Amino acid sequence: MVHVLACLVLLFCAVLYKYRAKTLKGSVPMHKGHLPLIGSTHLAIMDRLRGKSAFVHFVYNQVQQNGYKSFAWSAVGGRMGVVILEKEDIKFALKDNFNNFVKAPGFLENFSGLLGQGIFNSNGDVWKQQRVVMAQMFNRRQLRERMSLVFGAHSQDLVDLLKKTELGEAVNIMPFFYHFTFDCINSVAFNRDVNSLGGNEKDVAFQKAFDVIQHGILGRFMIPWWKLYRFMQLSSERGIVKGLEVVNAYVEDVVDQYFEKDGSLKEDAIVDDRTMTGLFLDNARSSGIVYDRVFIRDMILNTVIAGRDSTGSALTSCIEYLCYHPEWQDKLHEEAKACFGGMQEALTFDDVEGVSPVAEAVFLEAIRLHPAVPANEKLCLEDTEFPSGVKVPAGVGVNWLPYVTNRYKKLWGDDAEEFNPERWMDGRTYDDFMHPSFNAGPRLCLGKSMAILEGKIALLTLFANFKFSMREGFVPRMKPSITWQLDSNGLEVLVHPV
């Protein structure tokens, strides 16, 4: 019986594959190494076994080895997609024809347990409503009067911790940055005084659980039968279930500050309209919209995750590249001395805005090479022809990968793979479709300015006090994850007081 069922499944996949392959015939090349039935899956699995981000490095290798400007791929079960690299094609999908490209049902389902219907896991009016409210949080006044003060204070906490390290002893600096950004986003978005930098067990446990969940969700995109794994509590699905127990319990404690268990708003709830929760609850009062516990839970998780991972990843990459390019550490140190101006207080918005080009250039260049979200996908709703001539039928996924686009020599020149902050100096900028690390178009990251400010203040505070070198023989290695992360060994560096 089992053999019969397996044969039927294979037959179904074969028919589906043949049908879906016909829809792309002649419009875009299928990549080299593609196989019937399993499609591109074997290549992605091989990259994952090498400890790389399966899909990201699969696409990167195809572009580097075969010179594709776009190509098609498929996976077990008949799933197909088209990778786009040309700037005008990315602009077409992310802005010009925005409504024709949505987050696919499979994508939403894979993330539903973690992100619910939060802003990163929703389409249409649900997404738009959240974005309108959240946008009020990220304005110049908030950056100057609240956020920069938080970033400055926590950057000093970071320095105090690093001063405790033994001279000549290697330290894994990566967790420091993720704890730093976690503490910052909780403070600026929810006015919560958390202390993962200080080792608070609940705060640290939440972050560990989230990382386990991320790793597990990535596997769902490669294994169409993951629901069977979940039912049987096998493989990474067991880790996702256990991780969600920790994550949900942590966030429920936050929601309890505002809501009764029956979902009604607490009469004595303190609502600060400068925080994300306050903005939504204030919006509820003025518009008549009812936000329940589940909605607030989803909003909190989406905000915390974005605020932690984007800048935490970027700062880790900054130190990694700066260890290979100590000349930029010298430039940062000089700029930091100028920004501090001999004072000992924490840096603020006015201390760094417009006068820290080196810090901003280093931060943006690190994000260019290691974008926090290295790959994205949308579902094409209607038959579409892109500016480059690529034709994508309805029901097929469209992928753009900041990790690959940001290293595309046609856009960035022959030194596209090299760390060169000079390309950002003297006021030079690049449009979001050439550098989609913060997404682009209507979904452009609301926190982009916040992340850059946070990164600059952290870098300047660090390099006013230290320089860094890689532990001899240490080689940073990334781990398969939804966001860009190094493996559990992190980034081992020596901290040198200056």
Side-chain angles (χ1 to χ4, degrees):
M1 182 64 184
V2 174
H3 294 92
V4 173
L5 183 61
C7 289
L8 288 173
V9 170
L10 286 173
L11 180 62
F12 171 77
C13 291
V15 172
L16 183 60
Y17 166 78
K18 188 172 182 180
Y19 169 75
R20 299 297 294 276
K22 276 185 176 180
T23 65
L24 290 172
K25 190 175 182 180
S27 63
V28 61
M30 188 64 76
H31 68 84
K32 292 182 179 179
H34 184 269
L35 297 175
L37 294 183
I38 65 171
S40 319
T41 306
H42 63 298
L43 299 174
I45 289 175
M46 287 169 63
D47 277 326
R48 180 157 184 171
L49 291 174
R50 296 186 189 108
K52 297 182 177 181
S53 182
F55 186 69
V56 173
H57 283 90
F58 154 68
V59 172
Y60 174 79
N61 290 336
Q62 289 294 327
V63 172
Q64 292 296 312
Q65 294 167 12
N66 303 308
Y68 294 127
K69 296 180 181 178
S70 62
F71 67 88
W73 61 272
S74 72
V76 173
R79 182 166 168 249
M80 282 193 169
V82 173
V83 173
I84 56 174
L85 275 89
E86 299 296 306
K87 186 175 76 168
E88 288 305 313
D89 285 350
I90 294 173
K91 179 174 178 287
F92 182 78
L94 272 61
K95 181 182 178 183
D96 299 340
N97 203 12
F98 175 77
N99 291 328
N100 188 44
F101 299 94
V102 300
K103 299 211 168 185
F107 181 99
L108 300 178
E109 185 177 30
N110 286 349
F111 278 99
S112 61
L114 178 64
L115 300 180
Q117 293 192 59
I119 192 169
F120 298 118
N121 205 46
S122 55
N123 292 310
D125 291 340
V126 175
W127 162 77
K128 189 179 297 182
Q129 173 193 347
Q130 294 180 69
R131 187 173 177 90
V132 169
V133 176
M134 285 181 164
Q136 300 173 55
M137 179 88 185
F138 301 100
N139 56 59
R140 193 174 179 85
R141 181 178 177 182
Q142 284 267 41
L143 289 172
R144 171 180 275 116
E145 296 181 2
R146 290 190 67 243
M147 296 182 184
S148 71
L149 302 182
V150 170
F151 302 153
H154 283 303
S155 293
Q156 292 289 0
D157 293 340
L158 187 57
V159 166
D160 292 341
L161 274 176
L162 289 174
K163 283 182 177 178
K164 297 176 182 178
T165 60
E166 297 288 336
L167 287 176
E169 181 180 338
V171 58
N172 176 11
I173 202 169
M174 182 178 74
F176 287 74
F177 290 137
Y178 281 86
H179 295 336
F180 162 74
T181 54
F182 181 80
D183 292 356
C184 285
I185 191 62
N186 271 282
S187 183
V188 300
F190 307 110
N191 203 21
R192 297 183 66 235
D193 185 18
V194 301
N195 188 27
S196 62
L197 261 178
N200 180 277
E201 289 185 8
K202 288 184 66 175
D203 298 329
V204 173
F206 169 89
Q207 296 176 69
K208 288 182 176 178
F210 170 67
D211 290 339
V212 169
I213 295 168
Q214 270 203 87
H215 179 78
I217 289 176
L218 181 63
R220 291 178 172 180
F221 288 91
M222 299 171 59
I223 305 172
W225 51 85
W226 62 265
K227 290 181 183 178
L228 178 62
Y229 281 17
R230 182 178 63 184
F231 176 76
M232 300 179 68
Q233 290 290 282
L234 296 176
S235 189
S236 57
E237 287 299 318
R238 183 171 60 253
I240 292 176
V241 171
K242 291 184 178 297
L244 283 173
E245 291 175 359
V246 176
V247 165
N248 288 333
Y250 185 91
V251 178
E252 283 296 314
D253 285 346
V254 184
V255 177
D256 284 342
Q257 297 175 24
Y258 304 96
F259 289 91
E260 303 288 358
K261 291 298 183 183
D262 63 5
S264 60
L265 185 65
K266 286 184 174 179
E267 293 183 3
D268 60 347
I270 300 174
V271 179
D272 184 346
D273 63 7
R274 299 174 303 166
T275 67
M276 197 71 78
T277 314
L279 287 171
F280 274 99
L281 295 179
D282 188 58
N283 177 255
R285 289 167 176 161
S286 61
S287 66
I289 297 173
V290 177
Y291 297 120
D292 59 15
R293 290 180 64 96
V294 175
F295 178 90
I296 295 298
R297 174 263 183 206
D298 294 346
M299 180 273 293
I300 291 171
L301 262 179
N302 280 250
T303 303
V304 168
I305 288 166
R308 184 196 81 136
D309 279 41
S310 57
T311 316
S313 169
L315 287 170
T316 304
S317 295
C318 283
I319 300 301
E320 178 184 347
Y321 280 111
L322 288 167
C323 285
Y324 300 134
H325 298 272
E327 70 278 11
W328 284 95
Q329 294 197 46
D330 295 335
K331 294 177 182 180
L332 268 174
H333 179 63
E334 292 303 314
E335 186 169 272
K337 288 196 299 183
C339 287
F340 274 96
M343 67 178 186
Q344 297 301 313
E345 294 85 3
L347 291 175
T348 66
F349 180 93
D350 293 322
D351 294 323
V352 303
E353 187 65 12
V355 294
S356 53
V358 175
E360 184 161 337
V362 166
F363 187 77
L364 290 174
E365 182 68 349
I367 285 181
R368 182 184 73 84
L369 291 169
H370 286 171
V373 181
N376 279 288
E377 180 180 26
K378 291 289 183 66
L379 181 70
C380 183
L381 296 179
E382 299 179 357
D383 293 354
T384 302
E385 182 172 354
F386 282 78
S388 66
V390 170
K391 296 177 181 178
V392 178
V396 171
V398 172
N399 307 94
W400 72 99
L401 291 84
Y403 179 87
V404 181
T405 301
N406 294 353
R407 296 164 179 259
Y408 192 27
K409 290 184 179 180
K410 179 179 177 181
L411 294 176
W412 294 93
D414 291 338
D415 67 343
E417 299 268 5
E418 299 173 15
F419 178 76
N420 179 19
E422 199 65 50
R423 73 178 89 242
W424 300 93
M425 297 293 285
D426 302 321
R428 279 174 282 183
T429 59
Y430 304 91
D431 72 53
D432 297 321
F433 307 102
M434 178 176 171
H435 180 240
S437 301
F438 291 97
N439 216 321
R443 280 190 180 261
L444 176 68
C445 175
L446 288 168
K448 178 179 179 180
S449 296
M450 182 189 77
I452 294 172
L453 176 65
E454 183 179 14
K456 289 194 298 185
I457 289 178
L459 285 173
L460 291 167
T461 305
L462 285 172
F463 283 92
N465 293 274
F466 311 110
K467 290 185 180 178
F468 302 89
S469 62
M470 197 84 71
R471 177 176 67 77
E472 186 176 354
F474 181 78
V475 178
R477 301 187 187 281
M478 74 162 295
K479 74 174 183 179
S481 181
I482 299 297
T483 58
W484 184 271
Q485 288 188 17
L486 298 176
D487 66 16
S488 58
N489 293 316
L491 185 66
E492 293 193 16
V493 298
L494 302 180
V495 182
H496 308 284
V498 293

